[in-house]
Amino acid sequence: MHEVGIEDYLLMDPSIGRWVQIVEKSLEHHDISLTFLTSGSTGTPKQCEQIFEWIADDARVIAEQLPSSGRIISLVAPHHIFGFIFSVILPSMTAREVIDGRVMGPGTLSRQLRAGDTIIATPYLWQYLQTSLTHFPDGLFGITSTAPM
């Protein structure tokens, strides 16, 4: 986005839906790559440039495995590559509603989940969900990354 000069718009409206629009606008003008920062969990955060088509391919492959309906419940930050692929790119490809589950407590999340939903979470968060939620509905899908599950 910095090649196009619209990265500051991300700070003006930090909603996932608006970020999708900004990214799409950026890609109309420059679609070669996106740069993400590592989390810093293994040292100083560093920049990692990713070719957009490759990360879009990741989302396409996952989209083919999911049902055609249901919501995306994201428990990960969309500014990291894992969150971006599955909380921004995947929903835009499948026209699914995205819910920011990071702001929900376990009780609210448990009541909100329904068959056909897809949860995006890290292995640590899956462990938290397993011990915190009262139930998982049948037909729930999950996507994980960033560490062994």
Side-chain angles (χ1 to χ4, degrees):
M1 283 181 273
H2 67 279
E3 289 92 347
V4 178
I6 64 171
E7 69 276 8
D8 289 344
Y9 288 106
L10 295 172
L11 301 173
M12 296 172 79
D13 185 353
S15 68
I16 291 175
R18 182 66 180 130
W19 280 19
V20 169
Q21 293 172 344
I22 294 166
V23 169
E24 287 174 343
K25 189 66 163 170
S26 173
L27 294 173
E28 289 175 12
H29 302 284
H30 186 71
D31 65 353
I32 295 173
S33 65
L34 299 172
T35 302
F36 296 89
L37 284 177
T38 62
S39 67
S41 62
T42 60
T44 303
K46 63 180 180 178
Q47 293 183 347
C48 294
E49 190 171 334
Q50 301 291 323
I51 296 173
F52 178 76
E53 273 309 308
W54 294 357
I55 61 177
D57 286 346
D58 285 350
R60 276 188 208 98
V61 168
I62 296 298
E64 292 170 3
Q65 309 303 312
L66 297 174
S68 59
S69 63
R71 305 167 303 168
I72 303 283
I73 314 291
S74 181
L75 300 178
V76 296
H79 66 277
H80 290 293
I81 190 167
F82 172 58
F84 182 77
I85 292 171
F86 299 113
S87 299
V88 177
I89 300 297
L90 176 69
S92 72
M93 289 179 168
T94 60
R96 289 172 172 236
E97 176 185 4
V98 179
I99 296 173
D100 188 353
R102 297 174 302 157
V103 299
M104 294 181 186
T108 300
L109 183 58
S110 186
R111 288 187 300 276
Q112 292 290 322
L113 292 176
R114 56 187 187 224
D117 285 347
T118 300
I119 296 178
I120 313 296
T122 63
Y124 172 79
L125 291 170
W126 281 109
Q127 184 177 15
Y128 169 75
L129 294 175
Q130 182 181 13
T131 60
S132 301
L133 297 187
T134 56
H135 79 286
F136 288 95
D138 291 338
L140 187 70
F141 292 82
I143 298 175
T144 190
S145 187
T146 72
M149 180 70 167

